[in-house]
mmCIF file of all heavy atoms in Angstrom:
data_model
loop_
_atom_site.group_PDB
_atom_site.id
_atom_site.type_symbol
_atom_site.label_atom_id
_atom_site.label_comp_id
_atom_site.label_asym_id
_atom_site.label_seq_id
_atom_site.Cartn_x
_atom_site.Cartn_y
_atom_site.Cartn_z
ATOM 1 N N MET A 1 104.963 100.853 115.827
ATOM 2 C CA MET A 1 103.946 101.026 116.855
ATOM 3 C C MET A 1 102.798 101.887 116.328
ATOM 4 O O MET A 1 101.615 101.564 116.516
ATOM 5 C CB MET A 1 104.541 101.666 118.120
ATOM 6 C CG MET A 1 103.476 101.966 119.182
ATOM 7 S SD MET A 1 104.164 102.528 120.747
ATOM 8 C CE MET A 1 104.571 100.956 121.499
ATOM 9 N N GLY A 2 103.148 103.007 115.673
ATOM 10 C CA GLY A 2 102.117 103.881 115.124
ATOM 11 C C GLY A 2 101.280 103.170 114.074
ATOM 12 O O GLY A 2 100.042 103.244 114.086
ATOM 13 N N MET A 3 101.938 102.455 113.169
ATOM 14 C CA MET A 3 101.231 101.755 112.096
ATOM 15 C C MET A 3 100.289 100.693 112.677
ATOM 16 O O MET A 3 99.142 100.546 112.226
ATOM 17 C CB MET A 3 102.243 101.114 111.145
ATOM 18 C CG MET A 3 101.628 100.364 109.971
ATOM 19 S SD MET A 3 100.797 101.433 108.782
ATOM 20 C CE MET A 3 102.187 102.210 107.956
ATOM 21 N N PHE A 4 100.752 99.966 113.676
ATOM 22 C CA PHE A 4 99.944 98.889 114.244
ATOM 23 C C PHE A 4 98.718 99.433 114.974
ATOM 24 O O PHE A 4 97.575 99.080 114.645
ATOM 25 C CB PHE A 4 100.789 98.048 115.198
ATOM 26 C CG PHE A 4 100.047 96.877 115.788
ATOM 27 C CD1 PHE A 4 99.803 95.740 115.030
ATOM 28 C CD2 PHE A 4 99.587 96.911 117.106
ATOM 29 C CE1 PHE A 4 99.114 94.656 115.572
ATOM 30 C CE2 PHE A 4 98.899 95.834 117.650
ATOM 31 C CZ PHE A 4 98.660 94.696 116.878
ATOM 32 N N TYR A 5 98.939 100.308 115.942
ATOM 33 C CA TYR A 5 97.838 100.738 116.793
ATOM 34 C C TYR A 5 96.847 101.659 116.076
ATOM 35 O O TYR A 5 95.638 101.575 116.320
ATOM 36 C CB TYR A 5 98.375 101.401 118.062
ATOM 37 C CG TYR A 5 98.929 100.381 119.040
ATOM 38 C CD1 TYR A 5 100.290 100.302 119.284
ATOM 39 C CD2 TYR A 5 98.084 99.483 119.680
ATOM 40 C CE1 TYR A 5 100.810 99.349 120.166
ATOM 41 C CE2 TYR A 5 98.588 98.526 120.562
ATOM 42 C CZ TYR A 5 99.950 98.468 120.800
ATOM 43 O OH TYR A 5 100.446 97.516 121.659
ATOM 44 N N ARG A 6 97.326 102.510 115.203
ATOM 45 C CA ARG A 6 96.394 103.419 114.537
ATOM 46 C C ARG A 6 95.633 102.722 113.414
ATOM 47 O O ARG A 6 94.517 103.100 113.085
ATOM 48 C CB ARG A 6 97.129 104.673 114.071
ATOM 49 C CG ARG A 6 97.650 105.424 115.294
ATOM 50 C CD ARG A 6 98.218 106.768 115.022
ATOM 51 N NE ARG A 6 98.973 107.215 116.194
ATOM 52 C CZ ARG A 6 99.696 108.311 116.235
ATOM 53 N NH1 ARG A 6 99.763 109.090 115.161
ATOM 54 N NH2 ARG A 6 100.347 108.646 117.319
ATOM 55 N N THR A 7 96.236 101.672 112.855
ATOM 56 C CA THR A 7 95.490 100.852 111.901
ATOM 57 C C THR A 7 94.424 100.050 112.638
ATOM 58 O O THR A 7 93.289 99.935 112.168
ATOM 59 C CB THR A 7 96.435 99.903 111.139
ATOM 60 O OG1 THR A 7 97.417 100.675 110.440
ATOM 61 C CG2 THR A 7 95.660 99.064 110.129
ATOM 62 N N ILE A 8 94.785 99.520 113.812
ATOM 63 C CA ILE A 8 93.816 98.797 114.643
ATOM 64 C C ILE A 8 92.643 99.717 114.983
ATOM 65 O O ILE A 8 91.473 99.317 114.942
ATOM 66 C CB ILE A 8 94.461 98.280 115.947
ATOM 67 C CG1 ILE A 8 95.457 97.151 115.661
ATOM 68 C CG2 ILE A 8 93.393 97.821 116.946
ATOM 69 C CD1 ILE A 8 94.830 95.864 115.212
ATOM 70 N N ARG A 9 92.941 100.961 115.311
ATOM 71 C CA ARG A 9 91.883 101.918 115.661
ATOM 72 C C ARG A 9 90.912 102.105 114.492
ATOM 73 O O ARG A 9 89.693 102.120 114.676
ATOM 74 C CB ARG A 9 92.503 103.258 116.051
ATOM 75 C CG ARG A 9 91.467 104.310 116.460
ATOM 76 C CD ARG A 9 92.121 105.659 116.650
ATOM 77 N NE ARG A 9 91.118 106.714 116.848
ATOM 78 C CZ ARG A 9 91.317 107.980 116.546
ATOM 79 N NH1 ARG A 9 92.462 108.365 116.011
ATOM 80 N NH2 ARG A 9 90.376 108.874 116.758
ATOM 81 N N MET A 10 91.452 102.228 113.281
ATOM 82 C CA MET A 10 90.589 102.390 112.113
ATOM 83 C C MET A 10 89.737 101.145 111.884
ATOM 84 O O MET A 10 88.524 101.232 111.674
ATOM 85 C CB MET A 10 91.436 102.704 110.869
ATOM 86 C CG MET A 10 91.963 104.118 110.823
ATOM 87 S SD MET A 10 92.820 104.493 109.286
ATOM 88 C CE MET A 10 94.432 103.829 109.629
ATOM 89 N N VAL A 11 90.387 99.996 111.932
ATOM 90 C CA VAL A 11 89.674 98.733 111.707
ATOM 91 C C VAL A 11 88.603 98.531 112.774
ATOM 92 O O VAL A 11 87.492 98.058 112.496
ATOM 93 C CB VAL A 11 90.674 97.556 111.698
ATOM 94 C CG1 VAL A 11 89.934 96.223 111.702
ATOM 95 C CG2 VAL A 11 91.591 97.647 110.483
ATOM 96 N N ASP A 12 88.923 98.903 114.004
ATOM 97 C CA ASP A 12 87.977 98.768 115.108
ATOM 98 C C ASP A 12 86.740 99.636 114.896
ATOM 99 O O ASP A 12 85.671 99.362 115.454
ATOM 100 C CB ASP A 12 88.673 99.160 116.418
ATOM 101 C CG ASP A 12 88.118 98.419 117.617
ATOM 102 O OD1 ASP A 12 87.538 97.337 117.440
ATOM 103 O OD2 ASP A 12 88.253 98.935 118.747
ATOM 104 N N ASN A 13 86.894 100.699 114.110
ATOM 105 C CA ASN A 13 85.777 101.584 113.787
ATOM 106 C C ASN A 13 85.104 101.213 112.464
ATOM 107 O O ASN A 13 84.314 101.989 111.924
ATOM 108 C CB ASN A 13 86.248 103.037 113.738
ATOM 109 C CG ASN A 13 86.337 103.665 115.119
ATOM 110 O OD1 ASN A 13 85.345 104.144 115.666
ATOM 111 N ND2 ASN A 13 87.526 103.663 115.693
ATOM 112 N N GLY A 14 85.439 100.025 111.948
ATOM 113 C CA GLY A 14 84.768 99.543 110.742
ATOM 114 C C GLY A 14 85.331 100.059 109.438
ATOM 115 O O GLY A 14 84.725 99.889 108.382
ATOM 116 N N ILE A 15 86.512 100.694 109.479
ATOM 117 C CA ILE A 15 87.147 101.224 108.265
ATOM 118 C C ILE A 15 88.021 100.143 107.639
ATOM 119 O O ILE A 15 88.653 99.352 108.344
ATOM 120 C CB ILE A 15 87.988 102.470 108.603
ATOM 121 C CG1 ILE A 15 87.090 103.589 109.120
ATOM 122 C CG2 ILE A 15 88.779 102.954 107.382
ATOM 123 C CD1 ILE A 15 87.851 104.759 109.708
ATOM 124 N N LYS A 16 88.062 100.112 106.318
ATOM 125 C CA LYS A 16 88.948 99.184 105.599
ATOM 126 C C LYS A 16 90.049 100.014 104.942
ATOM 127 O O LYS A 16 89.865 100.537 103.848
ATOM 128 C CB LYS A 16 88.146 98.396 104.570
ATOM 129 C CG LYS A 16 87.019 97.564 105.184
ATOM 130 C CD LYS A 16 86.247 96.770 104.150
ATOM 131 C CE LYS A 16 87.001 95.535 103.722
ATOM 132 N NZ LYS A 16 86.182 94.658 102.847
ATOM 133 N N PRO A 17 91.208 100.133 105.614
ATOM 134 C CA PRO A 17 92.286 100.961 105.064
ATOM 135 C C PRO A 17 93.121 100.221 104.022
ATOM 136 O O PRO A 17 93.297 99.003 104.102
ATOM 137 C CB PRO A 17 93.127 101.273 106.306
ATOM 138 C CG PRO A 17 92.940 100.077 107.188
ATOM 139 C CD PRO A 17 91.543 99.581 106.932
ATOM 140 N N VAL A 18 93.628 100.970 103.059
ATOM 141 C CA VAL A 18 94.637 100.459 102.137
ATOM 142 C C VAL A 18 95.745 101.517 102.091
ATOM 143 O O VAL A 18 95.476 102.699 101.860
ATOM 144 C CB VAL A 18 94.064 100.187 100.728
ATOM 145 C CG1 VAL A 18 93.302 101.385 100.177
ATOM 146 C CG2 VAL A 18 95.182 99.792 99.766
ATOM 147 N N TYR A 19 96.953 101.118 102.382
ATOM 148 C CA TYR A 19 98.081 102.057 102.416
ATOM 149 C C TYR A 19 98.745 102.134 101.040
ATOM 150 O O TYR A 19 98.928 101.112 100.373
ATOM 151 C CB TYR A 19 99.102 101.632 103.467
ATOM 152 C CG TYR A 19 98.662 101.915 104.887
ATOM 153 C CD1 TYR A 19 97.912 100.985 105.600
ATOM 154 C CD2 TYR A 19 98.986 103.113 105.510
ATOM 155 C CE1 TYR A 19 97.490 101.246 106.910
ATOM 156 C CE2 TYR A 19 98.584 103.379 106.808
ATOM 157 C CZ TYR A 19 97.832 102.446 107.502
ATOM 158 O OH TYR A 19 97.411 102.714 108.784
ATOM 159 N N VAL A 20 99.111 103.345 100.652
ATOM 160 C CA VAL A 20 99.753 103.567 99.362
ATOM 161 C C VAL A 20 101.140 104.163 99.597
ATOM 162 O O VAL A 20 101.278 105.218 100.226
ATOM 163 C CB VAL A 20 98.912 104.502 98.467
ATOM 164 C CG1 VAL A 20 99.600 104.707 97.122
ATOM 165 C CG2 VAL A 20 97.504 103.928 98.268
ATOM 166 N N PHE A 21 102.169 103.475 99.092
ATOM 167 C CA PHE A 21 103.551 103.885 99.296
ATOM 168 C C PHE A 21 104.086 104.611 98.066
ATOM 169 O O PHE A 21 103.787 104.237 96.930
ATOM 170 C CB PHE A 21 104.433 102.664 99.590
ATOM 171 C CG PHE A 21 104.188 102.060 100.944
ATOM 172 C CD1 PHE A 21 103.132 101.190 101.162
ATOM 173 C CD2 PHE A 21 105.023 102.366 102.008
ATOM 174 C CE1 PHE A 21 102.898 100.625 102.404
ATOM 175 C CE2 PHE A 21 104.807 101.806 103.270
ATOM 176 C CZ PHE A 21 103.737 100.940 103.467
ATOM 177 N N ASP A 22 104.902 105.623 98.313
ATOM 178 C CA ASP A 22 105.536 106.376 97.228
ATOM 179 C C ASP A 22 106.441 105.484 96.395
ATOM 180 O O ASP A 22 107.111 104.584 96.917
ATOM 181 C CB ASP A 22 106.393 107.519 97.790
ATOM 182 C CG ASP A 22 105.579 108.734 98.186
ATOM 183 O OD1 ASP A 22 104.692 109.127 97.407
ATOM 184 O OD2 ASP A 22 105.837 109.284 99.267
ATOM 185 N N GLY A 23 106.502 105.788 95.092
ATOM 186 C CA GLY A 23 107.484 105.179 94.213
ATOM 187 C C GLY A 23 108.616 106.174 93.994
ATOM 188 O O GLY A 23 108.939 106.963 94.881
ATOM 189 N N LYS A 24 109.178 106.171 92.804
ATOM 190 C CA LYS A 24 110.255 107.124 92.514
ATOM 191 C C LYS A 24 109.669 108.524 92.380
ATOM 192 O O LYS A 24 108.584 108.707 91.816
ATOM 193 C CB LYS A 24 110.969 106.734 91.216
ATOM 194 C CG LYS A 24 110.110 106.841 89.972
ATOM 195 C CD LYS A 24 110.872 106.412 88.729
ATOM 196 C CE LYS A 24 110.076 106.688 87.449
ATOM 197 N NZ LYS A 24 108.750 106.040 87.421
ATOM 198 N N PRO A 25 110.373 109.557 92.904
ATOM 199 C CA PRO A 25 109.858 110.916 92.747
ATOM 200 C C PRO A 25 110.034 111.388 91.312
ATOM 201 O O PRO A 25 111.003 111.006 90.647
ATOM 202 C CB PRO A 25 110.725 111.733 93.706
ATOM 203 C CG PRO A 25 111.998 110.963 93.804
ATOM 204 C CD PRO A 25 111.613 109.519 93.680
ATOM 205 N N PRO A 26 109.106 112.207 90.795
ATOM 206 C CA PRO A 26 109.285 112.742 89.442
ATOM 207 C C PRO A 26 110.515 113.633 89.397
ATOM 208 O O PRO A 26 110.877 114.265 90.401
ATOM 209 C CB PRO A 26 107.996 113.539 89.198
ATOM 210 C CG PRO A 26 107.458 113.834 90.554
ATOM 211 C CD PRO A 26 107.868 112.697 91.429
ATOM 212 N N SER A 27 111.171 113.686 88.254
ATOM 213 C CA SER A 27 112.405 114.477 88.128
ATOM 214 C C SER A 27 112.170 115.946 88.473
ATOM 215 O O SER A 27 113.061 116.620 88.988
ATOM 216 C CB SER A 27 112.962 114.358 86.710
ATOM 217 O OG SER A 27 111.999 114.777 85.753
ATOM 218 N N MET A 28 110.960 116.434 88.227
ATOM 219 C CA MET A 28 110.657 117.841 88.513
ATOM 220 C C MET A 28 110.660 118.147 90.001
ATOM 221 O O MET A 28 110.714 119.310 90.398
ATOM 222 C CB MET A 28 109.293 118.221 87.934
ATOM 223 C CG MET A 28 109.303 118.446 86.438
ATOM 224 S SD MET A 28 107.781 119.243 85.914
ATOM 225 C CE MET A 28 107.991 120.873 86.635
ATOM 226 N N LYS A 29 110.599 117.117 90.829
ATOM 227 C CA LYS A 29 110.566 117.330 92.272
ATOM 228 C C LYS A 29 111.963 117.535 92.839
ATOM 229 O O LYS A 29 112.134 117.762 94.041
ATOM 230 C CB LYS A 29 109.891 116.136 92.956
ATOM 231 C CG LYS A 29 109.314 116.450 94.328
ATOM 232 C CD LYS A 29 108.443 115.316 94.832
ATOM 233 C CE LYS A 29 107.813 115.653 96.175
ATOM 234 N NZ LYS A 29 106.883 114.603 96.637
ATOM 235 N N GLY A 30 112.962 117.467 91.973
ATOM 236 C CA GLY A 30 114.347 117.586 92.419
ATOM 237 C C GLY A 30 114.619 118.872 93.177
ATOM 238 O O GLY A 30 115.356 118.891 94.168
ATOM 239 N N GLY A 31 114.035 119.976 92.719
ATOM 240 C CA GLY A 31 114.243 121.263 93.378
ATOM 241 C C GLY A 31 113.697 121.268 94.792
ATOM 242 O O GLY A 31 114.355 121.757 95.727
ATOM 243 N N GLU A 32 112.520 120.708 94.973
ATOM 244 C CA GLU A 32 111.913 120.638 96.295
ATOM 245 C C GLU A 32 112.722 119.721 97.207
ATOM 246 O O GLU A 32 112.933 120.028 98.395
ATOM 247 C CB GLU A 32 110.472 120.124 96.186
ATOM 248 C CG GLU A 32 109.770 119.885 97.509
ATOM 249 C CD GLU A 32 109.594 121.133 98.346
ATOM 250 O OE1 GLU A 32 109.610 122.246 97.789
ATOM 251 O OE2 GLU A 32 109.453 120.990 99.575
ATOM 252 N N LEU A 33 113.197 118.606 96.678
ATOM 253 C CA LEU A 33 114.000 117.685 97.481
ATOM 254 C C LEU A 33 115.321 118.328 97.882
ATOM 255 O O LEU A 33 115.817 118.107 98.994
ATOM 256 C CB LEU A 33 114.257 116.394 96.690
ATOM 257 C CG LEU A 33 113.007 115.558 96.362
ATOM 258 C CD1 LEU A 33 113.387 114.355 95.506
ATOM 259 C CD2 LEU A 33 112.303 115.114 97.630
ATOM 260 N N ALA A 34 115.880 119.139 96.993
ATOM 261 C CA ALA A 34 117.126 119.853 97.314
ATOM 262 C C ALA A 34 116.897 120.855 98.447
ATOM 263 O O ALA A 34 117.742 121.004 99.348
ATOM 264 C CB ALA A 34 117.649 120.574 96.072
ATOM 265 N N LYS A 35 115.736 121.513 98.427
ATOM 266 C CA LYS A 35 115.398 122.455 99.502
ATOM 267 C C LYS A 35 115.279 121.720 100.835
ATOM 268 O O LYS A 35 115.719 122.215 101.877
ATOM 269 C CB LYS A 35 114.082 123.170 99.185
ATOM 270 C CG LYS A 35 114.163 124.162 98.031
ATOM 271 C CD LYS A 35 112.794 124.768 97.766
ATOM 272 C CE LYS A 35 112.813 125.675 96.543
ATOM 273 N NZ LYS A 35 111.457 126.214 96.240
ATOM 274 N N ARG A 36 114.676 120.552 100.795
ATOM 275 C CA ARG A 36 114.518 119.772 102.020
ATOM 276 C C ARG A 36 115.869 119.329 102.567
ATOM 277 O O ARG A 36 116.093 119.326 103.778
ATOM 278 C CB ARG A 36 113.637 118.554 101.758
ATOM 279 C CG ARG A 36 112.194 118.900 101.412
ATOM 280 C CD ARG A 36 111.369 117.660 101.112
ATOM 281 N NE ARG A 36 110.064 118.000 100.569
ATOM 282 C CZ ARG A 36 109.159 117.121 100.165
ATOM 283 N NH1 ARG A 36 109.435 115.818 100.255
ATOM 284 N NH2 ARG A 36 107.999 117.510 99.684
ATOM 285 N N THR A 37 116.782 118.967 101.667
ATOM 286 C CA THR A 37 118.131 118.570 102.087
ATOM 287 C C THR A 37 118.846 119.732 102.747
ATOM 288 O O THR A 37 119.526 119.573 103.776
ATOM 289 C CB THR A 37 118.942 118.081 100.867
ATOM 290 O OG1 THR A 37 118.296 116.944 100.282
ATOM 291 C CG2 THR A 37 120.359 117.694 101.277
ATOM 292 N N GLU A 38 118.661 120.930 102.185
ATOM 293 C CA GLU A 38 119.282 122.131 102.751
ATOM 294 C C GLU A 38 118.718 122.425 104.143
ATOM 295 O O GLU A 38 119.458 122.769 105.077
ATOM 296 C CB GLU A 38 119.048 123.324 101.826
ATOM 297 C CG GLU A 38 119.736 124.600 102.290
ATOM 298 C CD GLU A 38 119.507 125.762 101.328
ATOM 299 O OE1 GLU A 38 118.990 125.531 100.215
ATOM 300 O OE2 GLU A 38 119.857 126.901 101.700
ATOM 301 N N LYS A 39 117.399 122.261 104.281
ATOM 302 C CA LYS A 39 116.761 122.506 105.578
ATOM 303 C C LYS A 39 117.228 121.492 106.617
ATOM 304 O O LYS A 39 117.404 121.825 107.791
ATOM 305 C CB LYS A 39 115.239 122.449 105.439
ATOM 306 C CG LYS A 39 114.655 123.651 104.706
ATOM 307 C CD LYS A 39 113.147 123.538 104.599
ATOM 308 C CE LYS A 39 112.561 124.742 103.866
ATOM 309 N NZ LYS A 39 111.080 124.634 103.727
ATOM 310 N N ARG A 40 117.458 120.259 106.172
ATOM 311 C CA ARG A 40 117.957 119.239 107.092
ATOM 312 C C ARG A 40 119.362 119.573 107.574
ATOM 313 O O ARG A 40 119.702 119.368 108.741
ATOM 314 C CB ARG A 40 117.948 117.868 106.410
ATOM 315 C CG ARG A 40 116.555 117.239 106.299
ATOM 316 C CD ARG A 40 116.624 115.921 105.527
ATOM 317 N NE ARG A 40 117.507 114.962 106.144
ATOM 318 C CZ ARG A 40 117.179 114.202 107.194
ATOM 319 N NH1 ARG A 40 115.980 114.303 107.727
ATOM 320 N NH2 ARG A 40 118.044 113.351 107.705
ATOM 321 N N ALA A 41 120.170 120.107 106.665
ATOM 322 C CA ALA A 41 121.532 120.505 107.034
ATOM 323 C C ALA A 41 121.498 121.633 108.069
ATOM 324 O O ALA A 41 122.283 121.647 109.028
ATOM 325 C CB ALA A 41 122.306 120.935 105.787
ATOM 326 N N GLN A 42 120.568 122.566 107.874
ATOM 327 C CA GLN A 42 120.420 123.669 108.823
ATOM 328 C C GLN A 42 119.952 123.152 110.184
ATOM 329 O O GLN A 42 120.417 123.616 111.230
ATOM 330 C CB GLN A 42 119.436 124.701 108.268
ATOM 331 C CG GLN A 42 119.937 125.430 107.025
ATOM 332 C CD GLN A 42 118.862 126.284 106.363
ATOM 333 O OE1 GLN A 42 117.690 126.242 106.748
ATOM 334 N NE2 GLN A 42 119.248 127.063 105.362
ATOM 335 N N ALA A 43 119.011 122.188 110.147
ATOM 336 C CA ALA A 43 118.506 121.612 111.393
ATOM 337 C C ALA A 43 119.602 120.845 112.124
ATOM 338 O O ALA A 43 119.683 120.881 113.358
ATOM 339 C CB ALA A 43 117.321 120.694 111.099
ATOM 340 N N GLN A 44 120.459 120.159 111.360
ATOM 341 C CA GLN A 44 121.561 119.405 111.959
ATOM 342 C C GLN A 44 122.529 120.350 112.671
ATOM 343 O O GLN A 44 123.006 120.067 113.779
ATOM 344 C CB GLN A 44 122.308 118.617 110.881
ATOM 345 C CG GLN A 44 123.347 117.641 111.412
ATOM 346 C CD GLN A 44 122.712 116.476 112.148
ATOM 347 O OE1 GLN A 44 121.956 115.703 111.567
ATOM 348 N NE2 GLN A 44 123.012 116.347 113.433
ATOM 349 N N GLU A 45 122.794 121.495 112.043
ATOM 350 C CA GLU A 45 123.680 122.496 112.643
ATOM 351 C C GLU A 45 123.052 123.079 113.908
ATOM 352 O O GLU A 45 123.724 123.252 114.930
ATOM 353 C CB GLU A 45 123.946 123.609 111.619
ATOM 354 C CG GLU A 45 124.952 124.645 112.087
ATOM 355 C CD GLU A 45 125.233 125.692 111.019
ATOM 356 O OE1 GLU A 45 124.990 125.411 109.819
ATOM 357 O OE2 GLU A 45 125.693 126.793 111.383
ATOM 358 N N ALA A 46 121.732 123.366 113.833
ATOM 359 C CA ALA A 46 121.028 123.917 114.992
ATOM 360 C C ALA A 46 120.968 122.899 116.127
ATOM 361 O O ALA A 46 121.048 123.260 117.308
ATOM 362 C CB ALA A 46 119.620 124.341 114.589
ATOM 363 N N LEU A 47 120.837 121.625 115.784
ATOM 364 C CA LEU A 47 120.796 120.567 116.792
ATOM 365 C C LEU A 47 122.123 120.485 117.543
ATOM 366 O O LEU A 47 122.144 120.346 118.767
ATOM 367 C CB LEU A 47 120.481 119.217 116.138
ATOM 368 C CG LEU A 47 120.523 117.990 117.061
ATOM 369 C CD1 LEU A 47 119.486 118.116 118.174
ATOM 370 C CD2 LEU A 47 120.278 116.712 116.253
#
């Protein structure tokens, strides 16, 4: 829903969007991804 309507909004304003999707994360990002996993575990417990 978000992708459809907000893309329509841009196009309706004369913008030509091109979306860029992530590929594989660089190996150096492993530490940051591990932190995010830890935060998700904490959020799951709090939930």
Side-chain angles (χ1 to χ4, degrees):
M1 175 173 277
M3 181 68 74
F4 182 76
Y5 285 110
R6 296 189 194 174
T7 301
I8 291 290
R9 181 188 172 206
M10 285 185 277
V11 170
D12 210 23
N13 278 277
I15 296 170
K16 300 181 78 172
V18 51
Y19 285 88
V20 180
F21 289 82
D22 280 315
K24 66 181 187 303
S27 57
M28 283 193 69
K29 203 169 183 176
E32 175 63 23
L33 296 177
K35 290 178 185 177
R36 294 178 190 177
T37 299
E38 184 179 349
K39 288 180 180 179
R40 284 176 59 80
Q42 293 171 353
Q44 188 69 62
E45 185 177 338
L47 175 62

